């Protein structure tokens, strides 16, 4: 497995982690929308979105690199 | 006498389908998975078997690590490590495409992000090592500061009431022989009378009133022991990665001039190790801080 393949796997796991941070933030904040957990939850979802966009860009950039 | 040449350091080995360095690093990472896997298993078993009310530390309102750990700092560190994986891949990709200067620049950014991770970790550790949990022999109430309490079950199944305060030791008063007379203790914001909105007030505590006094260091609880061992070992891996990357930053140009493909392969092996270290943190963060 090349660094490219491991990086794709890593980004996928990082996206899942960011989503879990988002869910944690919403559950911890409850109805308090202006709390720190809510802000962190929003940052988690934003991070997941950024990683999805980055992942698509990276796959394009590393197109000619092998997965093995 | 001719020097021994290690074969297949650029071309793939016909049996493994990869060059020898990559095969070696994957074998090493397999042993690392076993090491961290054993530590994760230890954590899960201790957590499942912990008496009620004692996880992550005696008196926590919930069993989650976010009661006593700083989630924002850990989230910042997570962002540092994810970004460092991106710069690591960009360093390797630029070297493969023949751009040594850009490759080295991205490698330098990776080292800086790893350094930032360690700086944040230092502050996190430091705050834990200066934060105290005091368990009293009986209910404590002095100068407007009252101990909190909870009823927990011991491992023998009997019910026990624990009276405690969390906070910081501002001053330790000793007699002429050096024996401790009392502690000037500043409780955390939510453990003094009145709760939120009241300024906490320092209170004097005598050693005879204390059943147990510990920092939020490795000896504070099973959770904190796991936290310091696993994150400490992970931190050592970060230091190891920094040393290797600095080595390539300082000596890389020499190899690049004569064997650019071999140098790019070495950076790929470093990148595989670095991704593993970052992946461990991606698992550690939710397990220790959020769940």
């Amino acid at each position: 497995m090349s660094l490219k393949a491991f990086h794709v796997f890593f980004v996928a796991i990082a996206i899942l982690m960011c989503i879990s941070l988002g869910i944690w933030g919403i559950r911890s904040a409850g109805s308090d929308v202006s709390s720190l957990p809510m802000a962190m939850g929003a940052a988690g979802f934003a991070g997941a979105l950024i990683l999805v966009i980055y992942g698509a860009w990276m796959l394009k950039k590393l197109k000619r690199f092998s997965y093995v | 006498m001719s020097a021994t040449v290690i074969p297949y350091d650029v071309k793939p080995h016909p049996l493994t389908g990869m060059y020898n360095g990559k095969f070696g690093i994957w074998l090493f990472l397999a042993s690392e998975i076993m090491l961290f896997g054993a530590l994760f298993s230890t954590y899960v078993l201790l957590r499942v078997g912990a008496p009620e009310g004692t996880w992550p530390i005696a008196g926590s309102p919930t069993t989650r690590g976010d009661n006593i750990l700083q989630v924002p700092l850990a989230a910042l560190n997570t962002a540092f490590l994810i970004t460092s994986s991106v710069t690591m891949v960009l360093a390797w990709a630029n070297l493969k495409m023949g751009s040594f200067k850009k490759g080295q620049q991205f490698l330098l950014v990776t080292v800086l992000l790893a350094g930032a991770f360690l700086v944040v970790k230092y502050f996190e550790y430091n705050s834990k090592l200066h934060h105290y949990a005091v368990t009293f022999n009986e209910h404590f109430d002095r100068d407007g500061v009252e101990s909190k309490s909870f009823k927990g079950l011991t491992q023998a199944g009997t019910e026990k009431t624990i009276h405690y305060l969390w906070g910081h030791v501002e001053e330790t008063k000793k007699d002429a022989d050096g024996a401790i007379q009392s502690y000037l203790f500043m409780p955390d914001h939510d453990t003094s009378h009145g709760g939120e909105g009241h300024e906490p007030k320092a209170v004097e505590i005598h050693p005879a009133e204390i059943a147990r006094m510990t920092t939020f260091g490795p000896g504070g609880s099973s959770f904190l022991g796991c936290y310091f061992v696993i994150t400490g070992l992970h931190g050592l891996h970060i230091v190891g990665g920094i040393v290797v990357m600095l080595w390539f930053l300082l000596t890389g140009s020499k190899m690049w001039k004569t064997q650019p493909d071999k140098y790019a392969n070495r950076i790929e092996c470093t990148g595989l190790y670095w991704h593993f270290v970052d992946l461990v943190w991606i698992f550690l963060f939710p397990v220790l801080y959020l769940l």
Side-chain angles (χ1 to χ4, degrees):
Chain A
M1 190 196 275
S2 72
L3 182 57
K4 178 188 173 182
F6 200 16
H7 189 62
V8 170
F9 175 70
F10 174 82
V11 171
I13 297 293
I15 289 168
L16 291 177
M17 191 278 304
C18 283
I19 293 170
S20 73
L21 176 65
I23 294 168
W24 170 86
I26 290 171
R27 289 180 66 172
S28 299
S31 57
D32 189 1
V33 190
S34 60
S35 65
L36 182 66
M38 186 59 92
M40 292 194 58
F45 285 124
L49 185 65
I50 290 168
L51 281 170
V52 168
I53 294 166
Y54 162 74
W57 174 82
M58 177 263 300
L59 283 174
K60 211 172 163 185
K61 189 175 168 71
L62 302 184
K63 209 171 183 177
R64 70 181 187 88
F65 288 73
S66 166
Y67 280 99
V68 227
Chain B
M1 201 172 117
S2 63
T4 309
V5 178
I6 299 172
Y8 303 110
D9 58 354
V10 175
K11 298 276 180 215
H13 193 287
L15 291 178
T16 60
M18 59 182 88
Y19 60 89
N20 281 347
K22 197 194 279 187
F23 187 64
I25 200 78
W26 275 114
L27 282 180
F28 171 67
L29 293 183
S31 72
E32 291 280 271
I33 290 168
M34 288 185 255
L35 173 66
F36 279 100
L39 290 170
F40 272 106
S41 306
T42 304
Y43 174 83
V44 170
L45 289 174
L46 282 171
R47 178 166 183 168
V48 170
E52 196 182 323
T54 61
W55 196 272
I57 194 169
S60 297
T62 71
T63 56
R64 293 199 312 260
D66 63 355
N67 289 309
I68 56 172
L69 300 177
Q70 290 145 306
V71 180
L73 287 183
L76 179 66
N77 260 350
T78 307
F80 283 154
L81 287 192
I82 292 175
T83 312
S84 78
S85 281
V86 171
T87 55
M88 188 78 222
V89 163
L90 291 174
W92 170 66
N94 277 288
L95 289 171
K96 290 284 275 186
M97 290 186 288
S99 175
F100 177 72
K101 197 180 169 189
K102 272 190 173 177
Q104 294 295 83
Q105 282 170 348
F106 278 118
L107 198 60
L108 177 64
V109 175
T110 310
V111 170
L112 293 175
L113 287 165
F117 175 91
L118 290 179
V119 169
V120 172
K121 207 78 209 140
Y122 164 78
F123 284 109
E124 218 184 325
Y125 276 7
N126 198 42
S127 76
K128 289 284 147 285
L129 295 172
H130 292 93
H131 194 200
Y132 282 82
V134 178
T135 308
F136 296 95
N137 293 318
E138 52 193 31
H139 179 69
F140 178 87
D141 189 353
R142 181 176 299 142
D143 302 335
V145 176
E146 195 177 355
S147 62
K148 294 178 95 175
S149 66
F150 76 97
K151 278 186 181 158
L153 284 178
T154 64
Q155 275 179 327
T158 53
E159 201 173 74
K160 192 180 177 187
T161 304
I162 307 285
H163 306 278
Y164 70 96
L165 275 177
W166 293 351
H168 295 84
V169 174
E170 295 219 316
E171 191 186 344
T172 304
K173 292 178 183 167
K174 295 178 180 175
D175 64 14
D177 299 327
I180 294 170
Q181 293 293 298
S182 65
Y183 300 98
L184 191 60
F185 191 78
M186 177 65 84
D188 286 348
H189 199 60
D190 62 341
T191 53
S192 57
H193 261 324
E196 293 291 328
H198 275 250
E199 279 302 308
K201 197 169 125 185
V203 64
E204 200 163 13
I205 299 174
H206 302 286
E209 297 167 312
I210 299 170
R212 184 172 186 249
M213 183 171 177
T214 174
T215 64
F216 280 53
S221 70
S222 297
F223 169 81
L224 285 163
C226 291
Y227 166 79
F228 276 97
V229 167
I230 302 176
T231 59
L233 186 66
H234 177 263
L236 285 176
H237 280 74
I238 295 277
V239 173
I242 289 175
V243 170
V244 171
M245 285 186 276
L246 279 176
W247 171 259
F248 285 131
L249 275 173
L250 296 173
T251 65
S253 64
K254 196 178 166 189
M255 185 185 280
W256 177 258
K257 280 171 193 159
T258 53
Q259 299 164 292
D261 289 338
K262 188 174 174 180
Y263 183 66
N265 283 353
R266 288 197 170 182
I267 295 300
E268 185 182 18
C269 289
T270 310
L272 288 170
Y273 168 81
W274 192 250
H275 272 64
F276 171 79
V277 173
D278 293 353
L279 199 59
V280 168
W281 180 259
I282 295 288
F283 282 105
L284 275 181
F285 174 52
V287 167
L288 291 177
Y289 291 78
L290 306 182
L291 295 176

